[in-house]
């Protein structure tokens, strides 16, 4: 605003005497006022122009720096920005190099942007802001990489434990001992690394013994039930799981017993059939000691098995009595033949010796 000149009056005595004064206009001040005002106006305009230019430059620098920061964060299809670099590092399976790769990629991206900035002030603004953004987000990436490392470690631990537990459940005594030692070492190391808590060991062993009991209840239910009666599983498996496995073992035993009973009954049918066939052969005059011994052995075993499952034995099938009667009949026939040959004159000596040997064999039976 142009300053309006103020005119001041001077007071001085007149040529006449007396005490009265009257104002006199300041003609010099009035004459110089327009020039002073013009000079002030020119100075003010230059100052305003200078200030405006500085403000404009500052705003332009801020805008350019903001645009570069936006590109630093977002990037484009050829230049991955901070967001993409963070995502890749946070989800990288190469956990050993995830953080170094993230930092190097960010620094390269930042350097490329700096090289595209001519104004040193903009470069400084951009560089300081970029460093601040990286520092704030590095912690998040580091945390995610650590989570991935922990997840990978737990996955490896689970695989190792699964392998050793399978060795324990399905292996012989030597494999079981080796598996137990390896399982203990894996858990001890994992606990030292902060991957598992104090309860993890108990949970792992409980799962292992549960799998062992389930397999035994299926493959050898009688053995499981024997151990169950001895209290072997009480401190190894939870009550609910143990009760469930116990029931399944009972079902398995019933199935086995049913199957065994069916097999024994089928064997009984077969041996009776073979016995009847042998009787027919022997009734026809043919004596087969080998077949007799084989059938007699089978009948003895099946008779015992039938009694074990509460079924009637084979007492009603008297193979021995039948054979004894048959042998007696053969023996009578042989003796008769010997007597007849003794009455004959032209009997072969070989035939007579054969009959005598047969008589002795039948007598032994």
């Amino acid at each position: 605003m142009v300053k309006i000149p103020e005119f001041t009056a001077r007071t001085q005595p007149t040529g006449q005497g007396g005490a009265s004064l009257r104002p006199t206009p300041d003609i010099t001040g009035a004459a110089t006022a327009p020039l002073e005002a013009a000079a002030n106006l020119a100075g003010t305009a230059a100052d305003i122009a200078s200030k405006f230019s500085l403000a404009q430059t500052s705003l332009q620098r801020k805008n350019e720096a903001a645009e570069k920061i936006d590109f630093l964060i977002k990037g484009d299809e050829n230049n991955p920005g901070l967001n993409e670099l963070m995502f890749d590092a946070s989800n990288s399976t190469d956990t050993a190099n995830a953080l170094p790769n993230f930092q190097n990629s960010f620094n390269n991206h930042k350097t490329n942007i700096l090289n595209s900035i001519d104004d040193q002030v903009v470069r400084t603004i951009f560089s300081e802001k970029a460093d601040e953004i990286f520092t704030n987000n590095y912690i998040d990436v580091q945390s995610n990489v650590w989570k991935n490392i922990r997840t990978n470690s737990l996955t490896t631990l689970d695989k190792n434990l699964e392998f050793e537990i399978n060795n324990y459940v399905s292996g012989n005594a030597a494999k079981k001992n080796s598996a137990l030692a390896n399982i203990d070492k894996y858990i001890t190391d994992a606990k030292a690394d902060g991957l598992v808590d104090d309860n993890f060991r108990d949970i792992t062993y409980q799962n292992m013994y549960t799998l062992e009991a389930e397999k035994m209840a299926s493959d050898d239910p009688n053995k499981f039930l024997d151990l169950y009666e001895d209290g072997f599983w009480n401190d190894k498996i939870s009550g609910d799981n143990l009760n469930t496995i116990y029931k399944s073992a009972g079902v398995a035993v019933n199935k086995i017993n049913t199957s065994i009973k069916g097999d024994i009954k089928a064997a009984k049918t077969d041996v009776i059939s073979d016995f009847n066939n042998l009787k027919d052969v022997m009734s026809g005059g043919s004596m087969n000691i080998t077949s007799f011994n084989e059938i007699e052995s089978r009948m003895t075993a099946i008779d015992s098995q039938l009694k074990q499952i509460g079924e009637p034995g084979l007492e009603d099938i008297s193979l021995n009595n039948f054979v004894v009667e048959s042998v007696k009949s053969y023996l009578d026939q042989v003796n008769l033949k010997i007597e007849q040959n003794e009455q004959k004159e032209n009997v072969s000596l070989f035939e007579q010796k054969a009959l005598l040997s047969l008589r002795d064999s039948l007598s032994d039976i």
Side-chain angles (χ1 to χ4, degrees):
M1 173 181 282
V2 179
K3 184 178 180 182
I4 300 176
E6 297 180 356
F7 296 93
T8 59
R10 297 179 181 177
T11 56
Q12 58 183 359
T14 63
Q16 303 174 356
S20 169
L21 298 177
R22 58 189 178 90
T24 303
D26 185 357
I27 299 175
T28 303
T32 59
L35 296 177
E36 291 176 355
N40 290 338
L41 181 61
T44 300
D47 183 56
I48 291 174
S50 176
K51 290 181 179 180
F52 178 78
S53 177
L54 291 174
Q56 185 180 33
T57 300
S58 176
L59 184 59
Q60 287 174 341
R61 285 169 170 169
K62 290 180 180 178
N63 288 341
E64 183 178 358
E67 290 175 357
K68 297 300 183 181
I69 290 295
D70 186 67
F71 181 63
L72 176 77
I73 295 173
K74 297 178 181 179
D76 58 25
E77 59 183 6
N78 298 319
N79 301 278
L82 175 65
N83 288 339
E84 184 174 348
L85 295 176
M86 288 179 62
F87 178 85
D88 291 343
S90 297
N91 294 277
S92 175
T93 56
D94 184 11
T95 52
N97 297 305
L99 283 175
N101 290 343
F102 167 64
Q103 186 166 8
N104 291 335
S105 297
F106 178 85
N107 288 336
N108 291 336
H109 184 44
K110 172 189 170 185
T111 299
N112 291 335
I113 297 175
L114 280 172
N115 292 337
S116 69
I117 302 174
D118 296 328
D119 191 310
Q120 184 59 43
V121 175
V122 176
R123 288 170 62 88
T124 300
I125 295 172
F126 169 80
S127 183
E128 291 177 353
K129 188 64 177 177
D131 291 342
E132 177 187 346
I133 292 173
F134 177 79
T135 300
N136 291 338
N137 288 279
Y138 183 86
I139 297 174
D140 291 338
V141 176
Q142 187 180 44
S143 176
N144 289 332
V145 172
W146 164 241
K147 289 178 182 178
N148 293 338
I149 293 174
R150 179 182 173 85
T151 299
N152 291 344
S153 298
L154 288 173
T155 299
T156 301
L157 175 64
D158 287 342
K159 289 181 179 179
N160 290 336
L161 290 178
E162 181 181 4
F163 177 78
E164 296 299 340
I165 287 174
N166 287 335
N167 282 342
Y168 175 85
V169 171
S170 303
N172 53 27
K175 273 194 171 183
K176 285 181 181 292
N177 291 334
S178 176
L180 286 173
N182 291 335
I183 290 171
D184 182 73
K185 183 179 184 303
Y186 286 136
I187 295 176
T188 299
D189 291 345
K191 188 172 182 296
D193 293 334
L195 296 175
V196 299
D197 57 20
D198 294 335
N199 296 324
F200 185 81
R201 187 185 302 272
D202 292 338
I203 294 173
T204 299
Y205 281 114
Q206 187 173 109
N207 290 338
M208 180 185 71
Y209 288 122
T210 299
L211 289 174
E212 181 186 26
E214 289 175 344
K215 186 175 188 301
M216 190 181 297
S218 175
D219 297 346
D220 192 354
N222 286 307
K223 181 178 180 180
F224 168 83
L225 292 175
D226 289 341
L227 293 174
Y228 178 88
E229 294 299 330
D230 293 339
F232 176 81
W233 307 106
N234 290 349
D235 58 346
K236 296 178 173 63
I237 304 174
S238 68
D240 290 342
N241 285 341
L242 182 57
N243 186 50
T244 300
I245 299 171
Y246 173 77
K247 291 179 180 178
S248 68
V251 172
V253 167
N254 290 334
K255 286 183 178 179
I256 292 174
N257 289 340
T258 300
S259 176
I260 291 175
K261 287 180 180 180
D263 292 342
I264 293 174
K265 289 179 180 180
K268 174 184 176 182
T269 301
D270 290 341
V271 78
I272 291 175
S273 176
D274 292 343
F275 167 72
N276 290 330
N277 290 336
L278 179 62
K279 284 174 61 177
D280 292 340
V281 171
M282 294 176 69
S283 298
S286 177
M287 180 64 185
N288 190 328
I289 297 300
T290 301
S291 297
F292 165 74
N293 289 336
E294 187 271 332
I295 292 177
E296 181 185 39
S297 176
R298 285 167 55 196
M299 292 182 69
T300 301
I302 294 172
D303 180 76
S304 175
Q305 293 172 356
L306 286 168
K307 291 176 180 177
Q308 288 178 6
I309 63 174
E311 293 288 328
L314 296 176
E315 291 88 350
D316 56 330
I317 304 176
S318 183
L319 177 63
N320 287 331
N321 291 337
F322 173 78
V323 171
V324 169
E325 294 300 325
S326 297
V327 170
K328 285 181 178 180
S329 176
Y330 291 147
L331 185 58
D332 290 341
Q333 293 177 28
V334 170
N335 286 327
L336 177 61
K337 185 65 174 177
I338 291 173
E339 292 176 0
Q340 290 175 350
N341 286 341
E342 288 175 350
Q343 303 298 324
K344 296 179 181 180
E345 296 180 357
N346 299 324
V347 177
S348 168
L349 181 61
F350 174 79
E351 179 183 350
Q352 192 70 352
K353 287 184 176 181
L355 287 171
L356 292 173
S357 177
L358 179 58
R359 180 184 65 183
D360 294 339
S361 297
L362 292 172
S363 296
D364 291 338
I365 294 175

